[in-house]
Amino acid sequence: MNKHVKTTAFVTALISGALIGGVAQAGHHGEAMVWGDDQSVAAGTVTAKKVMAEENGWLVVHRTDESMKPGPVVAHAPLKKGKNMDVNAILTEEVKPGEMLMLMVHSEKGGMKTGIFEYTLGAKEDGPIKKDGKLVMTTITAQ
């Protein structure tokens, strides 16, 4: 093989790899995810910095602890499909500084009414979304 053919093959492989990698990365950015930081709950709200939702649904705030199992719901807020920034959920009960909270993405599916949050712990209505068998969530500590 001459030098020109080798260079062309290398450049073609490099460009193809970049395009394939770019498509994979672009797909990754659309996946359901939740970002949040430890924060004060003194104002009666919990805020997720960013939520990526694959469908309309809910940001649901569960109590949790070191076991990392979702407990009772203490707040929720609607999500639109796509990127949601600074999602604020109003607390429905007191949360004390030091308590752990789980910010989780839930679906809008399975309920009787669209736009009304109908989930109770363990129910199927407006239930949690899972990706690869894992809950789409993050945990924070109330300050």
Side-chain angles (χ1 to χ4, degrees):
M1 224 194 272
N2 70 31
K3 187 176 179 180
H4 177 70
V5 173
K6 286 182 181 178
T7 302
T8 303
F10 174 75
V11 170
T12 302
L14 187 63
I15 291 170
S16 296
L19 289 174
I20 291 168
V23 169
Q25 288 181 338
H28 178 73
H29 292 295
E31 291 180 10
M33 297 181 86
V34 183
W35 291 265
D37 294 324
D38 295 350
Q39 59 194 270
S40 171
V41 294
T45 63
V46 174
T47 303
K49 291 174 78 171
K50 179 179 174 183
V51 181
M52 290 298 296
E54 294 178 350
E55 60 188 60
N56 292 339
W58 303 96
L59 169 68
V60 179
V61 181
H62 292 266
R63 290 187 186 276
T64 192
D65 56 24
E66 294 79 25
S67 71
M68 299 303 288
K69 292 184 180 178
V73 174
V74 296
H76 66 277
L79 296 171
K80 65 180 181 181
K81 179 180 179 178
K83 181 168 66 172
N84 297 261
M85 300 299 293
D86 299 318
V87 180
N88 294 301
I90 298 172
L91 291 167
T92 56
E93 56 187 68
E94 182 182 8
V95 172
K96 295 178 182 169
E99 289 187 66
M100 290 178 67
L101 300 172
M102 184 177 284
L103 285 57
M104 185 184 301
V105 178
H106 278 235
S107 175
E108 172 57 25
K109 295 180 181 173
M112 299 290 286
K113 297 180 183 177
T114 299
I116 304 295
F117 183 65
E118 301 173 76
Y119 179 80
T120 56
L121 200 57
K124 292 188 185 346
E125 297 81 12
D126 297 343
I129 291 176
K130 292 186 178 183
K131 294 307 265 173
D132 300 322
K134 296 179 182 175
L135 295 168
V136 178
M137 62 82 181
T138 191
T139 57
I140 65 165
T141 301
Q143 303 292 304

